[in-house]
Amino acid sequence: MSNNDWDFIANKAENIVREAAQLIKHSLQTELIVEYKSNPNDLVTEMDRKIEAFFCEQITNEFPKHYILGEEGTGKDLNTLDGTVWIIDPIDGTTNFVHQQRHFAISVGIYEDGVGKVGIIYDVMADELYLALENKGAYLNGVQLPMLKEAKVSEALIALNSGWILKDERLKDLVSKCRGTRAYGAAAIEMASVAANRIDGYISLNLSPWDFAAGAILIKEVGAVISTIDGKELDLLNNSSLCVAKNGLYQELQNDFLNKKG
Ligand code: 2AM
Ligand code: CA
Ligand code: CA
Ligand code: CA
């Protein structure tokens, strides 16, 4: 596919995201049906499912040959990234959506044969749309985000969910040595916040492809580093841990905290 095609696809994707955001905003005026999935803290609402269905309908109409992988069940049997694949989280931060009515995002990563081409993260209530295009940079509401400078642990703000800190000694050590921690409760917003230079890194012990598919493209375009916490390349078809950080900070996290030798 040529560059023009990707501009066309990115434009369509952005339009679908903005339409989906309007549907989510309207839903906040009515009472939502909330259920839970794997446990009572793993929430899902009718809107998570409706928005994923809306994406499927729009994508299938416009691009019938594209594949879709989504959190709420679309493409659950997909076992290859061959072709063009849209990896979608209709609402990232459902707990925030239910409890706070803000701090949630729509996340869309579009991949071709496993290579990230277009990443969109839209923080709906903040009206902040992050767009990344492979080798063409990352943008926040149309303004290009600068390449990130190096950082170090002693001066870093790191996004970390407190539940993970309780579970992992390596994170306790990190918490005691970094400048501060933050927890936004939406992986896509946490990754976008690294890209926008609002925080310096983000670590999670378990996420799914739709949580990081768009963010991974954004992070590469601003010159930061992304991998599993063991330093391995991310797998877009399976769950994994995540370590995102500015240069320098990333190497320090890997060598002195997450994979310390001896
Ligand atoms: P979600 O809101 O789309 O489910 C919360 O810290 C972050 O982790 C959110 O981005 C959330 O995405 C994600 N997450 C992944 N698996 C989760 C789970 N089993 N329960 C709650 N949040 C989960
Ligand atoms: Ca979920
Ligand atoms: Ca998610
Ligand atoms: Ca979700």
Side-chain angles (χ1 to χ4, degrees), residues 30-46:
T30 60
E31 199 162 330
L32 282 168
I33 301 168
V34 184
E35 296 165 33
Y36 65 81
K37 300 209 276 193
S38 60
N39 66 69
N41 298 326
D42 184 6
L43 303 179
V44 64
T45 74
E46 57 188 305

Side-chain angles (χ1 to χ4, degrees), residues 48 71-72 89 91-92 94:
D48 297 73
E71 178 177 7
E72 308 311 336
D89 195 338
I91 300 180
D92 181 52
T94 297

Side-chain angles (χ1 to χ4, degrees), residues 57 179 185 217:
E57 196 184 293
R179 180 167 279 166
I217 305 171

Side-chain angles (χ1 to χ4, degrees), residues 1-9 117 133-136:
M1 255 184 276
S2 75
N3 269 340
N4 279 344
D5 294 330
W6 285 110
D7 288 344
F8 177 79
I9 293 170
K117 296 288 180 181
L133 300 166
E134 187 199 22
N135 298 327
K136 285 187 176 176

Side-chain angles (χ1 to χ4, degrees), residues 176-250:
S176 71
K177 292 183 176 136
C178 69
R179 180 167 279 166
T181 59
R182 296 293 181 270
Y184 300 149
I189 293 178
E190 281 157 315
M191 296 176 81
S193 300
V194 175
N197 195 28
R198 294 174 180 177
I199 51 173
D200 302 289
Y202 170 52
I203 292 171
S204 173
L205 296 189
N206 186 25
L207 290 174
S208 301
W210 37 83
D211 296 315
F212 53 75
I217 305 171
L218 211 61
I219 288 296
K220 282 187 190 141
E221 288 303 318
V222 290
V225 193
I226 180 166
S227 71
T228 69
I229 61 167
D230 311 310
K232 297 199 182 82
E233 204 176 314
L234 286 174
D235 174 354
L236 285 147
L237 290 171
N238 289 294
N239 278 20
S240 82
S241 61
L242 186 75
C243 174
V244 173
K246 293 177 177 174
N247 264 303
L249 175 63
Y250 175 86

